[in-house]
Each structure stands twice: as structure tokens, then as C-alpha cells.
Amino acid sequence: MPFHAWGPANLLMLAREPEFAADLRQLKNAATGVIVYTYIDHHLNRVIGASDIANDSWWYGALPAFQLENGRLKTEGSFREIHPLRSFFMTIYTNVLRRSYFLSEIFPALPFIRPQHFDLVADIIEDLGREARLKSGIPRFVVLFYPQSATAARLIPRLHARGIETIDWSTIMLTRYAQPTHIPYDGHPTKEAHAVIGRELARELTRA
């Protein structure tokens, strides 16, 4: 199954599938294991359908559009399926008004981030953790905030209020430990960065 451009909403959809439980039941030493969800800032954009993902039409067709209804998370499809007019506007906005660096400085990414967006991300991660723990038998679920996360400070209190354990590495300057840290013109971490994160995460979880 492809994991291109996924966010927490995609993982929650996967966690609700019966095949997910079957795969997790094959894990060994589940009782002493740890489930780690690695959060990067762009996962927020993928949850709310921000305009900076509209330049890739695949994303709008693949990203589930979640909303809270009577206190429960609900989705009836992707952003393109549920919000076709909004998806069309966002695509035009991104590919016309923000097509260059100069114009992108004038026209901000939409929508503007609001408190309810952080609440939605926290609710999705909470449900993801509940599904993963239930179906795997692994008791511990941890959210790791990648170094230099700009949204960690607003999301972590919401996760703690929901009883979710976090590891906050948002203040760490990854450039001190790995070079290069991000793939040029892409933004995703490099294998060097992942190697550092993986090694330090293993140490962190062993100490806990």
C-alpha cells in the first residue's frame, strides 16, 4: 500500500481496516512494544486540506476530509469528493496566484490556521492511538515531534489533555547532528536525518 503524502487521517483510515489488525497481531513482544507516530508540521496541512497541497491534484483525491459530528470523527471521502468547489478554488489559487516564490510571499497559504484545526488533528491522533493499541495489544502510544516543529507548542497541550504521551524534539537543531537534513526542493527529511532520529528515539524509549 503506498504511503505517499500521507498524514494522520490516512493512517486512521488504515487503522480502521480489518487487515490492519491482522498485520499488527503478527508483531512479537507486543506487551513490551511501543507505537510511535512521528509528527511533522505539514501533517496539519494535510488534515485541513491547505492550499499548499492543492498543486498536486493526487493529494486532494487521496486525503480524507474529517470533521467532528456529535463529538465523533466522521469522513465521507476525500477533499475533492466532499468539497469539490473548495478543491477547485484551492487548486486555482495555488497554481495561479502562488505559482512563484514572489507571489507566494504576497498570497498566503489558505485556510488560515485556527485553534479548531489543532483540535481536529489532536482528535484524529487520539483515535489513531486508540485503534492501534486496541488492535495490536501494544499498550504504549507515543507522538514524536520532529526537530524544529513550529506547531508542536500548540498541539502538545491538546494531546496531553487527551492522555497522549509525547516526545518533544521541536527545539532541537537537527543540523548539529546530520547533514543534509532535508531533501532539496522537497522538504522531507533525508536518510541521514532519519538515522539520527531513529538512533536517539531508541535511546529515549529505552530510558523511559
Side-chain angles (χ1 to χ4, degrees), residues 80-117:
R80 187 190 299 158
E81 293 167 330
I82 299 177
H83 307 293
L85 292 180
R86 173 186 165 186
S87 299
F88 176 76
F89 168 78
M90 288 292 197
T91 301
I92 298 300
Y93 182 82
T94 297
N95 292 315
V96 176
L97 296 181
R98 305 187 77 238
R99 66 182 181 274
S100 70
Y101 176 80
F102 174 75
L103 290 174
S104 68
E105 292 297 299
I106 298 176
F107 297 99
L110 297 176
F112 297 115
I113 305 299
R114 299 190 296 273
Q116 56 263 41
H117 293 147

Coordinates of all heavy atoms in Angstrom, one line a residue, residues 80-117:
R80 N -11.6 16.3 -2.4 CA -12.1 16.5 -3.8 C -13.6 16.0 -3.9 O -14.4 16.6 -4.5 CB -11.3 15.8 -4.8 CG -11.7 16.2 -6.3 CD -11.0 15.3 -7.3 NE -9.5 15.5 -7.1 CZ -8.6 14.6 -7.5 NH1 -9.0 13.4 -8.0 NH2 -7.3 14.8 -7.4
E81 N -13.9 14.9 -3.2 CA -15.2 14.3 -3.2 C -16.2 15.1 -2.4 O -17.4 15.4 -2.8 CB -15.2 12.9 -2.7 CG -14.4 12.0 -3.7 CD -14.1 10.6 -3.0 OE1 -14.0 10.6 -1.8 OE2 -14.0 9.6 -3.8
I82 N -15.8 15.6 -1.2 CA -16.7 16.2 -0.3 C -16.8 17.7 -0.5 O -17.8 18.3 -0.4 CB -16.2 16.0 1.2 CG1 -16.3 14.5 1.5 CG2 -17.1 16.7 2.2 CD1 -15.8 14.1 2.9
H83 N -15.7 18.3 -0.9 CA -15.6 19.8 -1.1 C -15.1 20.1 -2.6 O -14.0 20.7 -2.7 CB -14.7 20.4 -0.1 CG -15.0 20.1 1.3 ND1 -16.2 20.5 1.9 CD2 -14.3 19.4 2.2 CE1 -16.2 20.1 3.2 NE2 -15.0 19.4 3.4
P84 N -15.9 19.7 -3.6 CA -15.4 19.9 -5.0 C -15.1 21.4 -5.3 O -14.1 21.7 -6.0 CB -16.5 19.3 -5.8 CG -17.7 19.3 -5.0 CD -17.2 19.1 -3.6
L85 N -16.0 22.3 -4.9 CA -15.8 23.7 -5.3 C -14.6 24.3 -4.5 O -13.8 25.0 -5.1 CB -17.0 24.5 -4.9 CG -18.3 24.2 -5.8 CD1 -19.4 25.0 -5.4 CD2 -17.9 24.4 -7.3
R86 N -14.5 23.9 -3.3 CA -13.3 24.4 -2.5 C -12.0 23.8 -3.1 O -11.0 24.6 -3.2 CB -13.4 24.0 -1.0 CG -12.2 24.3 -0.2 CD -12.3 23.7 1.2 NE -11.1 23.6 1.9 CZ -10.9 23.1 3.1 NH1 -11.9 22.5 3.7 NH2 -9.7 23.1 3.6
S87 N -12.0 22.6 -3.5 CA -10.8 22.0 -4.0 C -10.4 22.7 -5.3 O -9.3 22.9 -5.6 CB -11.1 20.5 -4.3 OG -11.4 19.8 -3.1
F88 N -11.5 23.0 -6.2 CA -11.2 23.7 -7.4 C -10.6 25.1 -7.1 O -9.6 25.5 -7.8 CB -12.5 23.8 -8.2 CG -12.3 24.6 -9.5 CD1 -11.7 24.1 -10.6 CD2 -12.8 26.0 -9.5 CE1 -11.6 24.8 -11.8 CE2 -12.6 26.7 -10.7 CZ -12.0 26.1 -11.8
F89 N -11.2 25.8 -6.2 CA -10.7 27.1 -5.9 C -9.2 27.1 -5.3 O -8.4 27.9 -5.7 CB -11.5 27.8 -4.8 CG -10.9 29.0 -4.2 CD1 -10.9 30.2 -4.9 CD2 -10.3 29.0 -2.9 CE1 -10.3 31.4 -4.4 CE2 -9.7 30.1 -2.4 CZ -9.7 31.3 -3.1
M90 N -9.0 26.1 -4.4 CA -7.6 26.0 -3.9 C -6.6 25.6 -5.0 O -5.5 26.1 -4.9 CB -7.6 24.9 -2.8 CG -8.3 25.3 -1.5 SD -7.5 26.6 -0.6 CE -8.3 26.4 1.0
T91 N -7.0 24.8 -5.9 CA -6.1 24.5 -7.0 C -5.7 25.7 -7.8 O -4.6 25.9 -8.2 CB -6.7 23.4 -7.9 OG1 -7.0 22.2 -7.1 CG2 -5.7 23.0 -9.0
I92 N -6.8 26.5 -8.2 CA -6.5 27.7 -9.0 C -5.7 28.7 -8.2 O -4.7 29.3 -8.7 CB -7.9 28.3 -9.4 CG1 -8.7 27.4 -10.3 CG2 -7.6 29.7 -10.0 CD1 -8.0 27.0 -11.6
Y93 N -6.0 28.9 -6.9 CA -5.3 29.8 -6.0 C -3.8 29.5 -6.0 O -3.0 30.3 -6.0 CB -6.0 29.8 -4.6 CG -5.3 30.7 -3.6 CD1 -5.7 32.1 -3.6 CD2 -4.4 30.3 -2.7 CE1 -5.2 32.9 -2.7 CE2 -3.8 31.2 -1.8 CZ -4.2 32.5 -1.8 OH -3.7 33.4 -0.9
T94 N -3.6 28.2 -5.8 CA -2.2 27.8 -5.6 C -1.4 27.8 -6.9 O -0.3 28.4 -7.0 CB -2.1 26.3 -5.1 OG1 -2.7 26.3 -3.8 CG2 -0.7 25.8 -5.0
N95 N -2.0 27.4 -8.0 CA -1.3 27.2 -9.3 C -1.2 28.5 -10.1 O -0.4 28.7 -11.0 CB -1.9 26.1 -10.1 CG -1.6 24.8 -9.5 OD1 -0.5 24.5 -9.1 ND2 -2.7 24.0 -9.5
V96 N -2.1 29.5 -9.7 CA -2.1 30.8 -10.4 C -1.5 31.9 -9.5 O -0.5 32.5 -9.9 CB -3.5 31.2 -10.9 CG1 -3.5 32.6 -11.5 CG2 -4.0 30.1 -11.8
L97 N -2.1 32.1 -8.4 CA -1.6 33.2 -7.5 C -0.4 33.0 -6.8 O 0.4 33.9 -6.5 CB -2.7 33.6 -6.5 CG -4.1 34.1 -7.2 CD1 -5.0 34.5 -6.1 CD2 -3.8 35.3 -8.0
R98 N -0.1 31.7 -6.5 CA 1.1 31.4 -5.7 C 2.1 30.6 -6.5 O 2.9 29.8 -5.9 CB 0.7 30.6 -4.4 CG -0.3 31.4 -3.6 CD -0.6 30.7 -2.2 NE 0.5 30.9 -1.3 CZ 1.3 30.0 -0.7 NH1 1.1 28.7 -1.0 NH2 2.2 30.3 0.1
R99 N 2.2 30.8 -7.8 CA 3.0 29.9 -8.6 C 4.5 30.2 -8.6 O 5.3 29.5 -9.0 CB 2.5 30.0 -10.1 CG 2.8 31.3 -10.8 CD 2.2 31.3 -12.2 NE 2.4 32.6 -12.9 CZ 1.6 33.6 -12.8 NH1 0.5 33.5 -12.1 NH2 1.9 34.7 -13.5
S100 N 4.8 31.4 -8.0 CA 6.2 31.7 -7.9 C 6.5 32.1 -6.4 O 5.6 32.4 -5.6 CB 6.6 32.9 -8.8 OG 6.0 34.1 -8.3
Y101 N 7.8 32.1 -6.1 CA 8.2 32.5 -4.7 C 7.7 33.9 -4.4 O 7.2 34.1 -3.3 CB 9.7 32.4 -4.6 CG 10.2 32.8 -3.2 CD1 10.1 31.9 -2.1 CD2 10.7 34.1 -3.0 CE1 10.6 32.3 -0.8 CE2 11.2 34.5 -1.7 CZ 11.1 33.6 -0.7 OH 11.5 34.0 0.6
F102 N 7.9 34.8 -5.3 CA 7.5 36.2 -5.0 C 6.0 36.3 -4.7 O 5.6 36.9 -3.7 CB 7.9 37.1 -6.2 CG 7.3 38.5 -6.1 CD1 8.0 39.4 -5.2 CD2 6.3 38.9 -6.8 CE1 7.5 40.7 -5.1 CE2 5.8 40.2 -6.7 CZ 6.4 41.1 -5.8
L103 N 5.2 35.6 -5.5 CA 3.8 35.7 -5.3 C 3.3 34.9 -4.1 O 2.4 35.3 -3.4 CB 3.0 35.1 -6.5 CG 3.1 36.0 -7.8 CD1 2.5 35.2 -9.0 CD2 2.4 37.3 -7.6
S104 N 4.0 33.9 -3.7 CA 3.7 33.1 -2.6 C 3.9 33.9 -1.3 O 3.3 33.7 -0.3 CB 4.5 31.8 -2.5 OG 5.9 32.0 -2.3
E105 N 4.9 34.9 -1.4 CA 5.1 35.8 -0.2 C 4.0 36.8 -0.1 O 3.7 37.3 1.0 CB 6.4 36.5 -0.4 CG 7.6 35.6 -0.3 CD 7.8 35.0 1.1 OE1 7.9 35.7 2.1 OE2 7.7 33.7 1.2
I106 N 3.3 37.1 -1.2 CA 2.1 38.0 -1.1 C 0.8 37.3 -0.8 O 0.1 37.8 0.1 CB 2.0 38.7 -2.5 CG1 3.3 39.5 -2.8 CG2 0.8 39.7 -2.5 CD1 3.2 40.2 -4.2
F107 N 0.6 36.2 -1.4 CA -0.6 35.4 -1.1 C -0.3 34.3 -0.2 O 0.3 33.3 -0.6 CB -1.2 34.9 -2.5 CG -1.6 36.0 -3.4 CD1 -0.7 36.4 -4.4 CD2 -2.8 36.7 -3.3 CE1 -1.1 37.4 -5.3 CE2 -3.1 37.7 -4.1 CZ -2.3 38.1 -5.2
P108 N -0.8 34.3 1.0 CA -0.5 33.2 2.0 C -1.3 31.9 1.7 O -2.2 31.9 0.9 CB -1.1 33.8 3.3 CG -2.2 34.7 2.9 CD -1.8 35.3 1.6
A109 N -0.8 30.9 2.3 CA -1.5 29.6 2.2 C -2.8 29.7 2.9 O -2.9 30.4 3.9 CB -0.6 28.5 2.7
L110 N -3.8 29.0 2.4 CA -5.1 29.0 3.0 C -5.5 27.6 3.3 O -5.0 26.6 2.8 CB -6.2 29.6 2.0 CG -6.0 31.0 1.5 CD1 -7.0 31.4 0.5 CD2 -6.1 32.0 2.7
P111 N -6.4 27.4 4.3 CA -7.0 28.4 5.1 C -6.0 28.9 6.2 O -5.0 28.2 6.5 CB -8.2 27.7 5.8 CG -7.7 26.3 5.9 CD -6.9 26.1 4.6
F112 N -6.4 30.0 6.8 CA -5.5 30.5 8.0 C -5.7 29.5 9.1 O -6.8 29.0 9.4 CB -6.0 31.9 8.4 CG -5.7 32.9 7.3 CD1 -6.8 33.6 6.7 CD2 -4.4 33.2 6.9 CE1 -6.6 34.6 5.8 CE2 -4.2 34.2 5.9 CZ -5.3 34.8 5.3
I113 N -4.6 29.2 9.8 CA -4.7 28.2 10.8 C -5.4 28.7 12.0 O -5.1 29.8 12.5 CB -3.2 27.7 11.2 CG1 -2.5 27.2 10.0 CG2 -3.3 26.7 12.3 CD1 -3.1 26.0 9.3
R114 N -6.4 28.0 12.5 CA -7.2 28.3 13.6 C -7.2 27.3 14.7 O -6.8 26.1 14.5 CB -8.7 28.6 13.2 CG -8.8 29.7 12.1 CD -10.3 30.0 11.9 NE -11.1 28.9 11.4 CZ -11.2 28.6 10.1 NH1 -10.6 29.4 9.2 NH2 -11.9 27.6 9.7
P115 N -7.6 27.6 16.0 CA -7.5 26.7 17.1 C -8.2 25.3 16.8 O -7.7 24.3 17.2 CB -8.1 27.4 18.2 CG -7.8 28.8 18.0 CD -8.0 29.0 16.5
Q116 N -9.3 25.4 16.1 CA -10.1 24.2 15.8 C -9.3 23.2 14.9 O -9.6 22.0 14.9 CB -11.5 24.5 15.3 CG -11.5 25.3 14.0 CD -11.7 26.8 14.3 OE1 -11.2 27.3 15.3 NE2 -12.5 27.4 13.5
H117 N -8.4 23.7 14.1 CA -7.6 22.9 13.3 C -6.7 22.0 14.1 O -6.5 20.8 13.9 CB -6.8 23.7 12.3 CG -7.6 24.4 11.3 ND1 -7.3 25.6 10.8 CD2 -8.8 24.1 10.7 CE1 -8.2 26.0 9.9 NE2 -9.1 25.1 9.9

